[in-house]
Amino acid sequence: MSTRQKKNIKAYVLILPLVCLLLSAYFMYHSLNGRYGYHSYENAVDQALHLEYQLASLREDRDRLIKRVRLLKNGSIEKDMLDEQARYHLN
């Protein structure tokens, strides 16, 4: 009857820490650069800020147009609005 003994290879001691290190590096990379990572979050925040400024600008334009419409709807047209409309239509 024969018995086999395994050689103690020092590389087996390094396999588990190496696998853990590689997995950690993988998850860290994707937490920064992935689809839902930190850089994507920063881009989303920048885009949200840009859209808020655009919304504020559109609200100002809407308020300005509402004021102009109120001047026309009152039944009596203001003199400056009448002059402006006349110049627009008559070139």
Coordinates of all heavy atoms in Angstrom, one line a residue:
M1 N 0.8 -1.2 0.0 CA 0.0 0.0 0.0 C 0.9 1.2 0.0 O 1.8 1.3 0.7 CB -0.9 0.0 1.2 CG -1.7 1.1 1.3 SD -2.7 1.3 2.7 CE -3.8 0.1 2.9
S2 N 0.5 2.2 -0.9 CA 1.4 3.3 -1.0 C 0.6 4.5 -0.4 O -0.6 4.6 -0.5 CB 1.7 3.6 -2.5 OG 0.6 3.9 -3.2
T3 N 1.3 5.4 0.1 CA 0.8 6.7 0.6 C 1.4 7.8 -0.1 O 2.6 7.8 -0.3 CB 1.0 6.8 2.2 OG1 2.4 6.8 2.4 CG2 0.3 5.7 2.9
R4 N 0.6 8.8 -0.4 CA 1.2 10.0 -1.1 C 1.1 11.1 -0.1 O 0.0 11.4 0.5 CB 0.3 10.3 -2.3 CG 0.6 9.4 -3.4 CD -0.1 9.9 -4.6 NE 0.6 9.4 -5.8 CZ 0.3 9.8 -7.0 NH1 -0.7 10.7 -7.2 NH2 0.9 9.3 -8.0
Q5 N 2.1 11.8 -0.1 CA 2.1 13.1 0.7 C 2.2 14.2 -0.2 O 2.9 14.2 -1.2 CB 3.2 13.0 1.7 CG 3.1 12.0 2.7 CD 4.3 12.0 3.7 OE1 5.2 12.7 3.5 NE2 4.1 11.2 4.8
K6 N 1.4 15.3 0.1 CA 1.4 16.5 -0.8 C 2.6 17.4 -0.3 O 2.9 17.5 0.9 CB 0.1 17.2 -0.6 CG -1.1 16.5 -1.2 CD -2.3 17.4 -1.1 CE -3.5 16.6 -1.7 NZ -4.7 17.4 -1.6
K7 N 3.1 18.0 -1.3 CA 4.2 19.0 -1.0 C 3.5 20.2 -0.5 O 2.5 20.6 -1.1 CB 5.0 19.3 -2.2 CG 5.9 18.2 -2.6 CD 6.8 18.6 -3.8 CE 7.7 17.5 -4.2 NZ 8.5 18.0 -5.4
N8 N 4.0 20.8 0.4 CA 3.5 22.1 0.9 C 4.0 23.2 -0.1 O 5.2 23.5 -0.1 CB 3.9 22.4 2.3 CG 3.2 21.5 3.3 OD1 2.2 21.1 3.0 ND2 3.8 21.3 4.5
I9 N 3.1 23.8 -0.8 CA 3.5 24.8 -1.8 C 3.1 26.1 -1.1 O 2.0 26.4 -0.7 CB 2.7 24.6 -3.1 CG1 3.1 23.3 -3.7 CG2 3.1 25.8 -4.1 CD1 2.3 23.0 -5.0
K10 N 4.0 27.1 -1.1 CA 3.8 28.3 -0.5 C 2.8 29.2 -1.3 O 2.3 30.2 -0.7 CB 5.1 29.1 -0.3 CG 6.0 28.4 0.7 CD 7.3 29.1 0.9 CE 8.2 28.3 1.9 NZ 9.5 29.0 2.1
A11 N 2.6 28.9 -2.5 CA 1.7 29.7 -3.3 C 0.3 29.6 -2.9 O -0.6 30.5 -3.1 CB 1.8 29.3 -4.8
Y12 N -0.1 28.4 -2.3 CA -1.4 28.2 -1.8 C -1.8 29.3 -0.7 O -2.9 29.6 -0.5 CB -1.6 26.8 -1.2 CG -1.7 25.8 -2.3 CD1 -1.0 24.6 -2.1 CD2 -2.5 25.9 -3.4 CE1 -1.1 23.6 -3.1 CE2 -2.6 25.0 -4.4 CZ -1.9 23.8 -4.2 OH -2.0 22.8 -5.2
V13 N -0.8 29.7 0.0 CA -1.0 30.7 1.1 C -1.4 32.1 0.5 O -2.2 32.8 1.1 CB 0.2 30.8 2.0 CG1 0.1 31.9 3.0 CG2 0.6 29.5 2.6
L14 N -0.9 32.3 -0.7 CA -1.2 33.6 -1.4 C -2.4 33.6 -2.2 O -2.9 34.7 -2.7 CB 0.0 34.0 -2.2 CG 1.3 34.2 -1.5 CD1 2.4 34.5 -2.5 CD2 1.2 35.4 -0.5
I15 N -3.0 32.5 -2.5 CA -4.2 32.5 -3.4 C -5.4 33.2 -2.9 O -6.0 34.1 -3.5 CB -4.5 31.0 -3.8 CG1 -3.4 30.4 -4.7 CG2 -5.8 31.0 -4.5 CD1 -3.6 29.0 -5.1
L16 N -5.8 32.9 -1.7 CA -6.9 33.6 -1.1 C -6.8 35.1 -0.9 O -7.7 35.8 -1.3 CB -7.3 32.9 0.3 CG -8.5 33.5 1.0 CD1 -9.8 33.2 0.1 CD2 -8.7 32.8 2.3
P17 N -5.7 35.6 -0.4 CA -5.5 37.1 -0.4 C -5.5 37.7 -1.7 O -6.0 38.8 -1.9 CB -4.2 37.3 0.4 CG -4.0 36.0 1.1 CD -4.6 34.9 0.3
L18 N -4.9 37.0 -2.7 CA -4.9 37.5 -4.1 C -6.3 37.6 -4.7 O -6.6 38.6 -5.3 CB -3.9 36.7 -4.9 CG -3.8 37.2 -6.4 CD1 -3.1 38.5 -6.4 CD2 -3.0 36.2 -7.2
V19 N -7.1 36.6 -4.5 CA -8.4 36.6 -5.0 C -9.2 37.7 -4.3 O -10.0 38.4 -5.0 CB -9.1 35.2 -4.8 CG1 -10.6 35.3 -5.0 CG2 -8.4 34.2 -5.7
C20 N -9.1 37.8 -3.0 CA -9.8 38.9 -2.3 C -9.4 40.3 -2.8 O -10.2 41.2 -2.9 CB -9.6 38.8 -0.8 SG -10.4 37.4 -0.1
L21 N -8.1 40.5 -3.0 CA -7.6 41.7 -3.5 C -8.1 42.0 -4.9 O -8.6 43.2 -5.2 CB -6.0 41.7 -3.5 CG -5.4 43.0 -4.0 CD1 -5.6 44.1 -3.0 CD2 -3.9 42.7 -4.2
L22 N -8.2 41.0 -5.8 CA -8.7 41.2 -7.1 C -10.2 41.6 -7.1 O -10.7 42.4 -7.8 CB -8.4 40.0 -8.0 CG -7.0 39.8 -8.4 CD1 -6.8 38.5 -9.1 CD2 -6.5 40.9 -9.2
L23 N -10.9 40.9 -6.2 CA -12.4 41.2 -6.1 C -12.6 42.6 -5.6 O -13.5 43.3 -6.0 CB -13.1 40.2 -5.2 CG -13.4 38.8 -5.9 CD1 -14.0 37.9 -4.8 CD2 -14.4 39.1 -7.0
S24 N -11.8 43.0 -4.6 CA -11.9 44.4 -4.0 C -11.6 45.4 -5.1 O -12.3 46.4 -5.2 CB -11.0 44.5 -2.9 OG -11.3 43.7 -1.8
A25 N -10.6 45.2 -5.9 CA -10.2 46.1 -7.0 C -11.3 46.2 -8.0 O -11.6 47.3 -8.5 CB -8.9 45.7 -7.6
Y26 N -11.9 45.1 -8.3 CA -13.0 45.0 -9.3 C -14.2 45.9 -8.8 O -14.7 46.7 -9.5 CB -13.4 43.6 -9.5 CG -14.7 43.4 -10.4 CD1 -14.6 43.5 -11.8 CD2 -15.9 43.2 -9.8 CE1 -15.8 43.4 -12.5 CE2 -17.1 43.1 -10.5 CZ -17.0 43.2 -11.9 OH -18.1 43.0 -12.7
F27 N -14.6 45.7 -7.6 CA -15.7 46.4 -7.0 C -15.4 47.9 -6.8 O -16.3 48.7 -7.0 CB -16.2 45.8 -5.7 CG -17.0 44.5 -6.0 CD1 -16.5 43.3 -5.4 CD2 -18.1 44.5 -6.7 CE1 -17.2 42.1 -5.6 CE2 -18.8 43.3 -6.9 CZ -18.3 42.1 -6.4
M28 N -14.2 48.2 -6.5 CA -13.8 49.6 -6.3 C -13.8 50.3 -7.7 O -14.3 51.5 -7.8 CB -12.4 49.7 -5.7 CG -12.5 49.4 -4.2 SD -10.9 49.3 -3.4 CE -10.2 50.9 -3.8
Y29 N -13.3 49.7 -8.7 CA -13.3 50.3 -10.0 C -14.8 50.6 -10.5 O -15.1 51.6 -11.0 CB -12.7 49.3 -11.0 CG -12.8 49.8 -12.5 CD1 -12.0 50.8 -13.0 CD2 -13.7 49.3 -13.3 CE1 -12.1 51.3 -14.3 CE2 -13.9 49.7 -14.6 CZ -13.0 50.7 -15.1 OH -13.2 51.2 -16.4
H30 N -15.7 49.6 -10.3 CA -17.0 49.8 -10.8 C -17.8 50.7 -9.9 O -18.8 51.3 -10.3 CB -17.7 48.4 -10.9 CG -17.3 47.7 -12.2 ND1 -17.7 48.1 -13.4 CD2 -16.5 46.7 -12.3 CE1 -17.1 47.3 -14.3 NE2 -16.4 46.4 -13.7
S31 N -17.4 50.9 -8.6 CA -18.1 51.9 -7.8 C -17.7 53.3 -8.2 O -18.5 54.2 -8.0 CB -17.8 51.6 -6.3 OG -16.4 52.0 -6.1
L32 N -16.6 53.5 -8.9 CA -16.2 54.8 -9.4 C -16.7 55.0 -10.8 O -17.2 56.1 -11.1 CB -14.7 55.0 -9.3 CG -14.1 55.1 -7.9 CD1 -12.6 55.1 -8.0 CD2 -14.7 56.3 -7.2
N33 N -16.5 54.0 -11.7 CA -16.7 54.2 -13.1 C -17.9 53.5 -13.7 O -18.1 53.6 -14.9 CB -15.4 53.8 -13.9 CG -14.2 54.6 -13.5 OD1 -14.3 55.8 -13.3 ND2 -13.1 53.9 -13.3
G34 N -18.6 52.8 -12.9 CA -19.7 52.0 -13.4 C -20.9 52.8 -13.8 O -20.9 54.1 -13.7
R35 N -21.9 52.1 -14.2 CA -23.1 52.8 -14.7 C -23.8 53.6 -13.6 O -24.3 54.7 -13.8 CB -24.1 51.8 -15.2 CG -25.4 52.3 -15.8 CD -26.2 51.2 -16.4 NE -27.4 51.7 -16.9 CZ -28.4 51.0 -17.4 NH1 -28.3 49.7 -17.4 NH2 -29.5 51.5 -17.8
Y36 N -23.7 53.1 -12.4 CA -24.3 53.8 -11.2 C -23.2 54.2 -10.2 O -23.5 54.4 -9.1 CB -25.3 52.9 -10.5 CG -26.4 52.4 -11.3 CD1 -26.5 51.1 -11.8 CD2 -27.4 53.3 -11.7 CE1 -27.5 50.7 -12.6 CE2 -28.5 52.9 -12.5 CZ -28.5 51.6 -13.0 OH -29.6 51.2 -13.8
G37 N -22.0 54.5 -10.7 CA -20.9 54.8 -9.9 C -20.9 56.3 -9.5 O -21.8 57.1 -9.8
Y38 N -19.8 56.7 -8.9 CA -19.6 58.0 -8.4 C -19.6 59.1 -9.5 O -20.2 60.1 -9.4 CB -18.4 58.1 -7.5 CG -18.2 59.4 -6.9 CD1 -19.0 59.9 -5.8 CD2 -17.2 60.3 -7.3 CE1 -18.8 61.1 -5.2 CE2 -17.0 61.5 -6.7 CZ -17.8 61.9 -5.7 OH -17.6 63.2 -5.1
H39 N -18.9 58.8 -10.6 CA -18.7 59.7 -11.7 C -20.1 59.9 -12.4 O -20.4 61.0 -12.8 CB -17.7 59.3 -12.7 CG -16.3 59.2 -12.1 ND1 -15.7 60.4 -11.5 CD2 -15.4 58.2 -11.9 CE1 -14.5 60.0 -11.1 NE2 -14.3 58.7 -11.3
S40 N -20.9 58.9 -12.5 CA -22.2 59.0 -13.1 C -23.1 59.8 -12.2 O -23.9 60.6 -12.7 CB -22.8 57.6 -13.3 OG -22.1 56.9 -14.2
Y41 N -22.9 59.7 -10.9 CA -23.7 60.5 -9.9 C -23.4 62.0 -10.1 O -24.2 62.9 -10.1 CB -23.5 60.1 -8.5 CG -24.1 60.9 -7.5 CD1 -25.4 60.9 -7.2 CD2 -23.3 61.8 -6.7 CE1 -26.0 61.7 -6.3 CE2 -23.8 62.6 -5.8 CZ -25.2 62.6 -5.5 OH -25.7 63.4 -4.6
E42 N -22.1 62.3 -10.2 CA -21.7 63.7 -10.4 C -22.2 64.3 -11.7 O -22.7 65.4 -11.7 CB -20.1 63.8 -10.4 CG -19.5 63.6 -9.1 CD -18.0 63.8 -9.1 OE1 -17.4 63.7 -10.3 OE2 -17.4 64.0 -8.1
N43 N -22.2 63.5 -12.8 CA -22.8 63.9 -14.0 C -24.3 64.2 -13.9 O -24.8 65.2 -14.5 CB -22.5 62.9 -15.1 CG -21.1 62.9 -15.5 OD1 -20.3 63.8 -15.3 ND2 -20.6 61.8 -16.1
A44 N -25.0 63.4 -13.2 CA -26.4 63.5 -13.0 C -26.7 64.8 -12.2 O -27.7 65.5 -12.5 CB -27.0 62.3 -12.3
V45 N -25.9 65.1 -11.2 CA -26.1 66.3 -10.4 C -25.8 67.5 -11.2 O -26.6 68.5 -11.2 CB -25.1 66.3 -9.1 CG1 -25.1 67.6 -8.5 CG2 -25.6 65.2 -8.2
D46 N -24.8 67.5 -12.1 CA -24.5 68.6 -13.0 C -25.7 68.9 -13.9 O -26.1 70.0 -14.2 CB -23.2 68.4 -13.7 CG -22.0 68.5 -12.8 OD1 -22.1 69.1 -11.7 OD2 -20.9 68.0 -13.3
Q47 N -26.2 67.8 -14.5 CA -27.3 67.9 -15.4 C -28.5 68.4 -14.7 O -29.3 69.3 -15.3 CB -27.6 66.5 -16.1 CG -28.6 66.6 -17.1 CD -28.9 65.2 -17.8 OE1 -28.4 64.2 -17.3 NE2 -29.7 65.2 -18.8
A48 N -28.8 68.0 -13.5 CA -30.0 68.5 -12.8 C -29.8 70.0 -12.5 O -30.8 70.7 -12.6 CB -30.1 67.7 -11.5
L49 N -28.6 70.4 -12.2 CA -28.4 71.9 -11.9 C -28.6 72.7 -13.2 O -29.3 73.7 -13.2 CB -27.0 72.1 -11.4 CG -26.6 73.5 -11.0 CD1 -27.5 74.0 -9.8 CD2 -25.2 73.5 -10.6
H50 N -28.1 72.2 -14.3 CA -28.3 72.8 -15.6 C -29.8 72.9 -15.9 O -30.3 74.0 -16.4 CB -27.6 72.1 -16.7 CG -27.9 72.6 -18.1 ND1 -27.4 73.8 -18.5 CD2 -28.6 72.1 -19.1 CE1 -27.8 74.0 -19.8 NE2 -28.5 73.0 -20.1
L51 N -30.6 71.8 -15.7 CA -32.0 71.8 -16.0 C -32.8 72.8 -15.1 O -33.8 73.4 -15.5 CB -32.5 70.4 -15.9 CG -32.1 69.5 -17.0 CD1 -32.6 68.0 -16.7 CD2 -32.5 69.9 -18.4
E52 N -32.3 72.9 -13.8 CA -33.0 73.9 -12.9 C -32.8 75.3 -13.4 O -33.7 76.1 -13.4 CB -32.4 73.7 -11.5 CG -32.9 72.5 -10.8 CD -32.3 72.4 -9.4 OE1 -31.7 73.3 -8.9 OE2 -32.5 71.3 -8.8
Y53 N -31.6 75.6 -13.9 CA -31.4 77.0 -14.5 C -32.2 77.2 -15.7 O -32.8 78.3 -15.9 CB -29.9 77.2 -14.8 CG -29.0 77.4 -13.6 CD1 -27.9 76.7 -13.4 CD2 -29.4 78.4 -12.6 CE1 -27.1 77.0 -12.3 CE2 -28.6 78.6 -11.5 CZ -27.4 77.9 -11.4 OH -26.6 78.1 -10.3
Q54 N -32.3 76.2 -16.5 CA -33.2 76.3 -17.7 C -34.6 76.5 -17.4 O -35.4 77.2 -18.0 CB -33.0 75.0 -18.6 CG -33.6 75.1 -19.9 CD -33.3 73.9 -20.8 OE1 -32.7 72.9 -20.3 NE2 -33.8 73.9 -22.0
L55 N -35.1 75.7 -16.3 CA -36.5 75.9 -15.9 C -36.7 77.3 -15.3 O -37.8 77.9 -15.6 CB -36.8 74.8 -14.8 CG -38.2 74.9 -14.2 CD1 -39.2 74.6 -15.2 CD2 -38.2 73.9 -13.0
A56 N -35.8 77.8 -14.6 CA -36.0 79.2 -14.1 C -36.1 80.2 -15.2 O -36.9 81.1 -15.2 CB -34.8 79.5 -13.1
S57 N -35.3 80.0 -16.2 CA -35.3 80.9 -17.4 C -36.6 80.8 -18.1 O -37.2 81.8 -18.5 CB -34.2 80.6 -18.4 OG -34.3 81.3 -19.5
L58 N -37.1 79.6 -18.3 CA -38.4 79.4 -19.0 C -39.6 80.0 -18.1 O -40.5 80.5 -18.7 CB -38.7 77.9 -19.2 CG -37.8 77.3 -20.3 CD1 -38.0 75.8 -20.3 CD2 -38.1 77.9 -21.6
R59 N -39.5 79.9 -16.8 CA -40.5 80.5 -16.0 C -40.5 82.0 -16.1 O -41.6 82.6 -16.1 CB -40.3 80.1 -14.5 CG -40.8 78.7 -14.3 CD -40.6 78.3 -12.8 NE -41.2 76.9 -12.6 CZ -41.0 76.2 -11.5 NH1 -40.2 76.7 -10.5 NH2 -41.5 75.0 -11.4
E60 N -39.3 82.6 -16.2 CA -39.3 84.1 -16.3 C -39.9 84.5 -17.7 O -40.6 85.5 -17.8 CB -37.8 84.5 -16.3 CG -37.2 84.5 -14.9 CD -35.7 84.8 -14.9 OE1 -35.2 85.2 -16.0 OE2 -35.1 84.7 -13.8
D61 N -39.6 83.7 -18.7 CA -40.2 84.0 -20.0 C -41.7 83.9 -20.0 O -42.4 84.7 -20.5 CB -39.6 83.1 -21.1 CG -38.2 83.4 -21.4 OD1 -37.7 84.4 -21.1 OD2 -37.5 82.5 -22.0
R62 N -42.2 82.9 -19.3 CA -43.6 82.7 -19.2 C -44.3 83.8 -18.5 O -45.3 84.3 -18.9 CB -43.9 81.3 -18.5 CG -45.4 81.0 -18.5 CD -45.7 79.9 -17.6 NE -45.4 80.2 -16.3 CZ -45.5 79.4 -15.3 NH1 -45.9 78.1 -15.4 NH2 -45.1 79.7 -14.0
D63 N -43.7 84.2 -17.4 CA -44.2 85.3 -16.6 C -44.3 86.6 -17.4 O -45.2 87.4 -17.3 CB -43.4 85.6 -15.3 CG -43.6 84.4 -14.3 OD1 -44.6 83.7 -14.4 OD2 -42.7 84.3 -13.4
R64 N -43.2 86.9 -18.2 CA -43.1 88.0 -19.0 C -44.3 88.0 -20.1 O -45.0 89.0 -20.3 CB -41.8 88.1 -19.7 CG -41.6 89.4 -20.6 CD -40.2 89.4 -21.2 NE -39.9 88.1 -21.9 CZ -40.3 87.8 -23.1 NH1 -41.1 88.6 -23.8 NH2 -39.9 86.6 -23.6
L65 N -44.5 86.8 -20.7 CA -45.6 86.7 -21.7 C -46.9 86.8 -21.0 O -47.9 87.4 -21.6 CB -45.4 85.4 -22.4 CG -44.2 85.2 -23.3 CD1 -44.1 83.8 -23.9 CD2 -44.3 86.2 -24.5
I66 N -47.1 86.3 -19.8 CA -48.4 86.5 -19.1 C -48.7 87.9 -18.9 O -49.9 88.4 -19.1 CB -48.4 85.6 -17.8 CG1 -48.5 84.2 -18.2 CG2 -49.5 86.1 -16.9 CD1 -48.3 83.3 -17.0
K67 N -47.7 88.7 -18.5 CA -47.9 90.1 -18.3 C -48.3 90.8 -19.6 O -49.2 91.7 -19.6 CB -46.6 90.8 -17.7 CG -46.4 90.4 -16.3 CD -45.1 91.0 -15.8 CE -44.8 90.6 -14.4 NZ -43.5 91.1 -13.9
R68 N -47.7 90.5 -20.7 CA -48.1 91.1 -21.9 C -49.5 90.7 -22.4 O -50.2 91.6 -22.9 CB -47.1 90.7 -23.0 CG -45.7 91.3 -22.8 CD -44.8 91.1 -24.0 NE -45.4 91.8 -25.1 CZ -44.9 91.7 -26.3 NH1 -43.8 90.9 -26.6 NH2 -45.4 92.4 -27.3
V69 N -49.9 89.5 -22.1 CA -51.2 89.1 -22.5 C -52.3 89.8 -21.6 O -53.3 90.2 -22.1 CB -51.4 87.5 -22.3 CG1 -52.8 87.1 -22.4 CG2 -50.6 86.8 -23.4
R70 N -52.0 90.0 -20.3 CA -52.9 90.7 -19.4 C -53.1 92.1 -19.9 O -54.2 92.7 -19.8 CB -52.3 90.7 -18.0 CG -52.6 89.4 -17.3 CD -52.1 89.5 -15.9 NE -52.2 88.2 -15.3 CZ -51.4 87.8 -14.3 NH1 -50.6 88.7 -13.7 NH2 -51.5 86.6 -13.8
L71 N -52.1 92.8 -20.5 CA -52.2 94.1 -21.0 C -53.2 94.1 -22.2 O -53.9 95.1 -22.4 CB -50.9 94.7 -21.4 CG -49.9 95.0 -20.2 CD1 -48.6 95.5 -20.8 CD2 -50.5 96.1 -19.3
L72 N -53.2 93.1 -23.0 CA -54.0 93.0 -24.1 C -55.5 92.6 -23.8 O -56.4 93.0 -24.5 CB -53.4 92.1 -25.2 CG -52.1 92.5 -25.8 CD1 -51.6 91.4 -26.7 CD2 -52.4 93.7 -26.7
K73 N -55.7 91.8 -22.8 CA -57.0 91.2 -22.5 C -57.9 92.2 -21.7 O -59.1 92.0 -21.6 CB -56.8 90.0 -21.6 CG -56.5 88.7 -22.4 CD -56.6 87.6 -21.5 CE -56.5 86.3 -22.3 NZ -56.5 85.1 -21.4
N74 N -57.3 93.3 -21.2 CA -58.1 94.1 -20.3 C -59.3 94.8 -21.0 O -60.2 95.3 -20.3 CB -57.1 95.2 -19.7 CG -57.7 95.8 -18.5 OD1 -58.8 95.5 -18.0 ND2 -57.1 96.9 -18.0
G75 N -59.3 94.8 -22.2 CA -60.4 95.5 -23.0 C -59.9 96.9 -23.5 O -60.3 97.3 -24.5
S76 N -59.0 97.5 -22.8 CA -58.4 98.8 -23.2 C -56.9 98.5 -23.4 O -56.3 98.1 -22.5 CB -58.7 99.9 -22.2 OG -58.1 99.6 -21.0
I77 N -56.5 98.7 -24.6 CA -55.1 98.4 -24.9 C -54.3 99.6 -24.5 O -54.6 100.8 -24.7 CB -54.9 98.2 -26.4 CG1 -55.7 96.9 -26.8 CG2 -53.4 98.0 -26.7 CD1 -55.6 96.6 -28.3
E78 N -53.2 99.4 -23.8 CA -52.3 100.4 -23.4 C -51.7 101.1 -24.7 O -51.6 100.5 -25.7 CB -51.1 99.9 -22.6 CG -51.6 99.1 -21.3 CD -51.5 100.0 -20.1 OE1 -50.8 101.0 -20.2 OE2 -52.2 99.7 -19.2
K79 N -51.3 102.3 -24.6 CA -50.8 103.1 -25.7 C -49.5 102.5 -26.3 O -49.4 102.4 -27.5 CB -50.6 104.5 -25.4 CG -51.9 105.3 -25.2 CD -51.6 106.7 -24.8 CE -52.9 107.5 -24.6 NZ -52.7 108.9 -24.3
D80 N -48.7 102.1 -25.4 CA -47.4 101.5 -25.9 C -47.6 100.2 -26.5 O -47.0 99.8 -27.5 CB -46.4 101.5 -24.8 CG -46.8 100.6 -23.6 OD1 -48.0 100.4 -23.5 OD2 -45.9 100.1 -22.9
M81 N -48.6 99.4 -26.0 CA -48.9 98.1 -26.7 C -49.5 98.3 -28.0 O -49.2 97.6 -29.0 CB -49.8 97.2 -25.8 CG -49.1 96.7 -24.5 SD -47.8 95.6 -24.9 CE -48.7 94.2 -25.5
L82 N -50.4 99.3 -28.1 CA -51.0 99.6 -29.4 C -50.0 100.1 -30.4 O -50.0 99.6 -31.6 CB -52.1 100.7 -29.2 CG -52.8 101.2 -30.4 CD1 -53.6 100.0 -31.0 CD2 -53.7 102.4 -30.1
D83 N -49.1 100.9 -30.0 CA -48.0 101.4 -30.9 C -47.1 100.2 -31.3 O -46.8 100.1 -32.5 CB -47.2 102.4 -30.1 CG -46.1 103.0 -31.0 OD1 -46.4 103.3 -32.2 OD2 -44.9 103.1 -30.6
E84 N -46.8 99.3 -30.4 CA -46.0 98.2 -30.7 C -46.7 97.2 -31.7 O -46.1 96.8 -32.7 CB -45.7 97.4 -29.4 CG -44.8 96.2 -29.6 CD -44.5 95.4 -28.4 OE1 -44.6 96.0 -27.3 OE2 -44.1 94.3 -28.5
Q85 N -48.0 97.0 -31.5 CA -48.7 96.1 -32.4 C -48.9 96.7 -33.8 O -48.8 96.1 -34.8 CB -50.1 95.8 -31.8 CG -50.0 94.9 -30.6 CD -49.5 93.5 -30.9 OE1 -49.8 92.9 -32.0 NE2 -48.7 93.0 -30.0
A86 N -49.1 98.0 -33.8 CA -49.2 98.7 -35.1 C -47.9 98.7 -35.9 O -47.9 98.4 -37.1 CB -49.6 100.2 -34.9
R87 N -46.8 98.9 -35.2 CA -45.5 98.8 -35.9 C -45.2 97.4 -36.4 O -44.6 97.2 -37.4 CB -44.4 99.3 -34.9 CG -44.4 100.8 -34.7 CD -43.3 101.2 -33.7 NE -43.5 102.5 -33.3 CZ -42.9 103.6 -33.9 NH1 -42.1 103.4 -34.9 NH2 -43.0 104.8 -33.4
Y88 N -45.6 96.4 -35.6 CA -45.4 95.1 -36.0 C -46.1 94.7 -37.2 O -45.6 94.1 -38.2 CB -45.7 94.1 -34.8 CG -45.6 92.7 -35.2 CD1 -44.3 92.1 -35.3 CD2 -46.7 91.9 -35.4 CE1 -44.2 90.7 -35.6 CE2 -46.6 90.5 -35.7 CZ -45.4 90.0 -35.8 OH -45.2 88.6 -36.2
H89 N -47.4 95.1 -37.3 CA -48.3 94.7 -38.4 C -48.0 95.5 -39.6 O -48.2 95.1 -40.8 CB -49.7 94.7 -38.0 CG -50.1 93.6 -37.1 ND1 -50.2 92.3 -37.4 CD2 -50.5 93.6 -35.7 CE1 -50.5 91.6 -36.4 NE2 -50.7 92.3 -35.4
L90 N -47.6 96.8 -39.5 CA -47.4 97.6 -40.6 C -45.9 97.7 -41.0 O -45.6 98.4 -42.0 CB -47.8 99.0 -40.3 CG -49.3 99.2 -40.0 CD1 -49.6 100.6 -39.5 CD2 -50.1 98.8 -41.2
N91 N -45.1 97.0 -40.4 CA -43.6 96.9 -40.6 C -43.0 98.3 -40.5 O -42.3 98.9 -41.2 CB -43.3 96.4 -42.0 CG -43.5 94.9 -42.1 OD1 -43.3 94.2 -41.1 ND2 -43.9 94.4 -43.2

